[in-house]
Amino acid sequence: ATGSLDLADRPAAMSVFSLLLPALVAVDVNLAGLFMLSYEEVTTADSCAGVGDWVDGTCWEIEQMQAVVASALLAVSDFNARNVSALPALGTVSACDKQLRLRLLDSGGTVPKSVQALGDLSSGTDVVIGPGRSSVSFHTAAITGAYKLPQISYWSTSTDLSNTEKYPRFMRTIPSDHAPASDICSFWKHELGLSTVAVIYQQDPYGRAYEEVAKTECQSLGLEIVSSGFSDDDSIREASIRSAVRSLSNSSAKAVLAVTFPPSLDLIVNAALQTGLLSAGTSWVFPDSVTAAELDMVVSDEGRAALNGSFIIKAVGATDNNPQWTRFSNERWAELQPAQFNPHLPADWQIRDDFFRDPHVSSWVPSGGTFAYDAIMAAGLLSCQGAPAGPLA
């Protein structure tokens, strides 16, 4: 068995990713994988310019997201090949007859597109992988719970999703927002010696839950925290952001946590520059819903200069002191080829030739790709644990 992604026997029309071992009479485990390949709500080339790539009427995600998807596809291959050099735990399921088949679905970052992409879950799907956004996972987790289907997210971090009564089949491979929120408050209190801090947040389930846990953690440390939310409705977003920023500018906060997504970044930064909320002496923090690459793409030169010294707090699934990760990062990742993955990606969202050798791309693997890889592996290992041979119950 090898970790090859060569699917020469795959029918041209098939949109399912798998590598079947010929020595086994395989039992398929059907995965529906929701990944944000495009921005469903971004409908013009101008609005896409700050967050993605506009091609033939679609705003595609930046290419770093391809690293997350490629990691998930690689996990399918590694599991099906029982590649113990990639993951030693696969040696414990060598006799298991399960093989993974992944339907790669575009969530678009929205609930309607995700639900439509999943389709009828009453049959033909064994596990749902993803989606990334917590605001979407709230809805899909309610559906998978009703159908008693496991759902394993690689990026949904909202603490509200830990409610097992509401979301009994929801799992994740990434920590919830409780840990980073606690760390932010501790940093503000003990490292910066602040007394008053602020949160500006998007009024969706993800933003509200993050604001709530940040408020709880900061207040437990004796910090005064003020917060203001803004609408994610495109028709009123700009006015709502200006109102939220103005209300925070009237406080004495010297630190701001901005819980938002790329489409709102430039609006927030510009409004904060105008009101003085973003100025010398004010520390800004962003959660993992924003990346450094997106800040560079979206924010103006003036905004980037003002944000100098700010930081992003996020969970990572790999560190350089892990020998297995170092070996993968230095040896295996750079040897992967676009041709192994492009047949399974949309025609307008293909991986470029030097993709796997670009450090800007590979930087997304520890903070995104590892969690997607683990979500796929978790689905495979759990299926073997539950039914080592024969059909899933």
Side-chain angles (χ1 to χ4, degrees), residues 39-211:
Y39 283 91
E40 176 73 3
E41 293 180 331
V42 178
T43 56
T44 67
D46 288 344
S47 57
C48 181
V51 296
D53 297 310
W54 185 261
V55 181
D56 292 336
T58 297
C59 184
W60 294 98
E61 257 280 20
I62 58 176
E63 65 177 0
Q64 283 87 346
M65 185 62 189
Q66 291 174 331
V68 178
V69 175
S71 298
L73 295 175
L74 185 62
V76 173
S77 175
D78 284 350
F79 179 85
N80 288 346
R82 304 299 190 263
N83 187 349
V84 294
S85 66
L87 187 68
L90 291 174
T92 65
V93 294
S94 57
C96 175
D97 61 7
K98 301 300 179 290
Q99 293 281 284
L100 303 180
R101 294 169 64 84
L102 174 66
R103 285 191 297 137
L104 183 60
L105 307 174
D106 184 7
S107 74
T110 68
V111 173
K113 184 158 187 175
S114 296
V115 173
Q116 182 181 34
L118 285 175
D120 183 5
L121 293 179
S122 62
S123 63
T125 299
D126 299 308
V127 183
V128 172
I129 303 296
R133 286 190 171 179
S134 296
S135 56
V136 179
S137 278
F138 283 113
H139 294 267
T140 57
I143 297 171
T144 56
Y147 281 107
K148 298 183 179 180
L149 290 175
Q151 177 178 337
I152 308 175
S153 176
Y154 48 87
W155 248 350
S156 292
T157 54
S158 174
T159 54
D160 286 355
L161 287 165
S162 299
N163 187 328
T164 55
E165 290 187 4
K166 288 185 176 180
Y167 314 109
R169 295 304 177 102
F170 179 82
M171 297 173 276
R172 52 185 157 202
T173 54
I174 189 171
S176 78
D177 291 324
H178 183 273
S182 176
D183 289 344
I184 292 169
C185 296
S186 179
F187 176 78
W188 283 340
K189 174 72 174 181
H190 301 299
E191 301 299 326
L192 298 186
L194 300 177
S195 58
T196 304
V197 296
V199 179
I200 183 169
Y201 64 97
Q202 182 164 306
Q203 291 175 325
D204 66 359
Y206 168 73
R208 283 191 290 267
Y210 209 121
E211 183 267 347

Side-chain angles (χ1 to χ4, degrees), residues 25-42:
V25 177
V27 174
D28 291 341
V29 177
N30 296 299
L31 312 181
L34 283 168
F35 292 83
M36 189 170 168
L37 312 185
S38 68
Y39 283 91
E40 176 73 3
E41 293 180 331
V42 178

Side-chain angles (χ1 to χ4, degrees), residues 197-286:
V197 296
V199 179
I200 183 169
Y201 64 97
Q202 182 164 306
Q203 291 175 325
D204 66 359
Y206 168 73
R208 283 191 290 267
Y210 209 121
E211 183 267 347
E212 288 174 5
V213 70
K215 181 177 289 187
T216 298
E217 292 299 314
C218 284
Q219 288 176 339
S220 73
L221 295 176
L223 289 168
E224 180 182 351
I225 183 167
V226 292
S227 62
S228 187
F230 62 89
S231 175
D232 60 351
D233 183 337
D234 283 342
S235 65
I236 60 172
R237 185 198 306 265
E238 184 171 358
S240 182
I241 285 173
R242 291 185 180 279
S243 176
V245 169
R246 278 197 302 270
S247 70
L248 296 180
S249 299
N250 295 327
S251 71
S252 58
K254 292 299 182 182
V256 179
L257 168 64
V259 185
T260 184
F261 292 98
S264 299
L265 275 176
D266 202 36
L267 294 173
I268 292 172
V269 170
N270 287 338
L273 284 170
Q274 292 171 10
T275 61
L277 184 63
L278 175 55
S279 59
T282 303
S283 171
W284 278 63
V285 185
F286 299 91

